[in-house]
Amino acid sequence: MSLNQQARAILTGNDRGGYTLPTDGLYPFQWNWDASVTALGWMCFAPARAWEEMRWLFKGQWQGGPNDGFLAHIAFHAPSDSYFPGADEWGTDGAPGTEALRTRTSSISQPPLHATMVRWMWHRAQAISPQAAAEAAEQVRGLLPGLLAHHRWWYRARDPDRSGLVLNIHPWETGMDNSPAWDVPLARVPQATRPYTRHDLGHVDASMRPPQSFYDRVVYLMDFNRAQDFDPVKILASCPYRVQDVGIISILQRASIDLLALCAACAWDGDVQDLHSALARTHNAIEALWSTRWSQYVSRDAITGELLDVPTSSGLLGAYAGFRHDLGPTVAAWLAETPYALPSTRSGFPGFEPLRYWRGPVWQHVNMLIADGLQRQGHAHLAQAIQACSAALFEASGFHEYYDPLTGRGLGGRAFSWAAATCLHWTDGAMKKQAGGA
C-alpha cells in the first residue's frame, strides 16, 4: 500500500460520520485546529467530506452573549470515557451562548487556522475543475458568517484594550500545551487538589506526555474558567495565567488576511473594516515580541510584561503571518541542528526534550505552516528542505502524532489524522515529483 493510500485509510478509519477523530482512543472527539488540517487531507480525495468536516466543527460555535462567535477547542459530538477531561468536566452546558447548541463543547479555544485552511481548500478545488470551484465557492459562502464571528470573538474577548496582541488563558488553548515557553507563567498557577483520573497514559508512554504537575495546573485553570461563568471580562481580570502567545497571534493574523480575501472573492457585502483595523494593530504591535537573543519572535507574559524568551517553532510563524522580520537565517540555523526538520523547541535550548510532546518533537502541520511562510519570504530552498524532511519522516515512520527530531522515530498517538492529512496536502505531490510520477 502506498503512503498516499495509507493516509487515506487513516482518515477513513478515523471518520465518525461527519467529523474525524485525531486518533481512536487517545482523542475520541473533534478537535478545533485538528479539524482544519484534517479537512485539507479530505479535500485531496473526497471534497464533499472535507467541507462537511468544517461544518461539523461550527456546529459547536456559541451564539449570543459575551462569547458570541466562540469556537471551542473540543466538540463533544458523541460520548466517550477514554479521554480526560470530558464534556462534564468543562461544565459549559447552559452557559450563555450555548442554549441552542446540540453539541457540547469545552470552554477554551485553539489557534484559529480555519480561514486559511478554507482558502487553501478553495484553491485546490479551483485546480480541479470549474464545477469543483463553483461548489467550493458555495461552501465558503456558507462558512463566512461563522468565520467572521469567530475572528471577532478573538479580537473582542481576548484583546479588549485593542493592543493588537490577543491573550490566551490556558496552555491547551495555544495548541502547544506543555511548551517550555509556558513554564514561568504556569508556575504561579495553583495546583488542583480535587481528584481526577488521566486517561492519556493508558494510550501513550509517560515519557512522551506532560507530567502530573502540568495537569494539576491546567485542571485548576479549567475549573477557574467555570467559576467565572465563562465571562471573558471576569476571566481576564483575575486569571493567573495570561499570555500573549506568538503562535495564536501569528495564526490569527494570517487567517484574518485570508478571511478578508475570501470575503472579497465572494463579494461579501458586510462591513469588514474592523478586521482591517485589527490587522494593522497587530502588524505594528508584534515587534514588541521580537527576541534579539534568538532572532525570532517569542511570547510574552501579559501579567508581568516580560518576554518569555524561549525559542519555539511558534516563533518561526512570523513569515507565515506576514510580519516584517526575515526569518530565513534563523530557520537555516535550526535546520543545521536537527536532522528531521524543525522541532517544537530549538535543540540548543536547555528545556529541549526530544520525546515529550511540545517540548521538542517535530509536529508536521506546524512545519507545513512555517514552510509556507518561508516560501512567501523568498526562501524556497528552505521551504523545500523542510518539506523533504517531512516526507522522509512519513516514509520512515508512518503517521504519528509527532516525531523525535533526532532519530525520526514516531511518537505519541498512532494512525494520526492530521499527519495523514498533512502528507496528502503538502508532501505527497512533492514525493511523486521526486519519483518521476504525476
Side-chain angles (χ1 to χ4, degrees):
M1 185 183 294
S2 71
L3 210 61
N4 181 296
Q5 291 171 324
Q6 293 175 48
R8 293 185 181 198
I10 285 172
L11 293 187
T12 302
N14 288 336
D15 184 10
R16 293 299 181 270
Y19 67 97
T20 310
L21 306 184
T23 189
D24 193 26
L26 180 60
Y27 300 114
F29 309 111
Q30 186 185 35
W31 261 257
N32 184 318
W33 70 330
D34 293 67
S36 294
V37 177
T38 298
L40 288 179
W42 282 113
M43 199 70 193
C44 296
F45 66 101
R49 180 62 186 77
W51 296 112
E52 189 175 23
E53 187 76 30
M54 298 303 298
R55 290 196 302 272
W56 270 76
L57 181 63
F58 278 84
K59 285 184 176 184
Q61 187 169 41
W62 294 21
Q63 301 169 17
N67 283 303
D68 180 57
F70 167 77
L71 199 62
H73 92 299
I74 305 175
F76 302 101
H77 296 301
S80 174
D81 59 4
S82 69
Y83 176 83
F84 172 86
D88 290 342
E89 295 283 348
W90 292 95
T92 58
D93 296 351
T98 67
E99 297 89 348
L101 297 185
R102 300 178 66 180
T103 296
R104 305 174 77 188
T105 76
S106 64
S107 68
I108 59 173
S109 196
Q110 264 187 337
L113 276 173
H114 324 95
T116 302
M117 302 298 99
V118 165
R119 192 180 183 194
W120 288 5
M121 290 160 65
W122 192 5
H123 286 168
R124 182 174 282 275
Q126 290 170 331
I128 296 172
S129 69
Q131 180 180 351
E135 292 172 352
E138 190 63 28
Q139 295 291 342
V140 172
R141 290 188 190 97
L143 289 168
L144 278 179
L147 289 167
L148 286 163
H150 187 49
H151 281 235
R152 285 169 172 148
W153 173 83
W154 270 106
Y155 293 124
R156 181 184 70 250
R158 295 303 177 77
D159 188 19
D161 297 330
R162 298 164 69 87
S163 70
L165 302 174
V166 296
L167 297 164
N168 82 90
I169 48 86
H170 197 292
W172 281 339
E173 195 163 66
T174 70
M176 303 183 181
D177 306 14
N178 67 324
S179 168
W182 320 141
D183 287 356
V184 170
L186 202 57
R188 65 169 167 263
V189 176
Q191 292 181 275
T193 57
R194 70 173 178 88
Y196 64 89
T197 302
R198 293 173 61 175
H199 299 301
D200 58 316
L201 300 183
H203 301 279
V204 176
D205 188 270
S207 65
M208 303 178 192
R209 297 290 298 176
Q212 189 64 33
S213 59
F214 172 85
Y215 261 80
D216 286 345
R217 289 177 167 88
V218 294
V219 168
Y220 175 92
L221 289 171
M222 176 182 68
D223 293 346
F224 172 87
N225 206 11
R226 183 175 185 173
Q228 309 310 308
D229 299 319
F230 315 109
D231 185 319
V233 175
K234 293 180 181 179
I235 291 169
L236 290 189
S238 57
C239 182
Y241 177 95
R242 282 168 276 164
V243 168
Q244 291 165 329
D245 166 34
V246 69
I248 289 177
I249 292 165
S250 299
I251 288 170
L252 177 60
Q253 183 79 352
R254 172 60 181 276
S256 289
I257 292 169
D258 289 325
L259 180 52
L260 287 170
L262 291 172
C263 288
C266 291
W268 183 257
D269 59 3
D271 183 7
V272 292
Q273 183 54 47
D274 57 328
L275 295 189
H276 285 286
S277 298
L279 284 171
R281 289 195 297 270
T282 299
H283 193 73
N284 291 326
I286 193 66
E287 297 311 309
L289 303 188
W290 182 256
S291 168
T292 55
R293 176 187 179 190
W294 299 107
S295 296
Q296 66 168 81
Y297 295 98
V298 296
S299 298
R300 185 165 67 183
D301 188 328
I303 294 177
T304 67
E306 297 294 321
L307 285 183
L308 301 170
D309 207 15
V310 179
T312 67
S313 57
S314 63
L316 304 178
L317 289 168
Y320 169 82
F323 298 143
R324 297 187 183 100
H325 279 282
D326 182 0
L327 287 164
T330 301
V331 171
W334 277 55
L335 289 173
E337 296 172 359
T338 50
Y340 291 98
L342 302 171
S344 46
T345 303
R346 189 165 180 173
S347 60
F349 182 73
F352 171 75
E353 297 182 58
L355 303 184
R356 196 177 295 280
Y357 215 42
W358 285 97
R359 300 184 74 88
V362 172
W363 295 75
Q364 297 279 41
H365 69 295
V366 176
N367 275 0
M368 175 178 69
L369 303 183
I370 294 170
D372 176 84
L374 292 169
Q375 187 79 36
R376 287 168 169 268
Q377 281 196 338
H379 299 295
H381 65 295
L382 293 176
Q384 291 163 6
I386 295 170
Q387 187 181 51
C389 284
S390 291
L393 276 178
F394 289 135
E395 288 279 14
S397 300
F399 301 106
H400 287 258
E401 186 178 4
Y402 43 98
Y403 301 79
D404 185 333
L406 303 179
T407 68
R409 180 164 67 103
L411 305 171
R414 299 172 181 268
F416 217 84
S417 292
W418 67 10
T422 301
C423 176
L424 289 169
H425 175 78
W426 182 43
T427 64
D428 183 66
M431 288 187 286
K432 286 179 179 177
K433 288 178 183 177
Q434 291 168 5

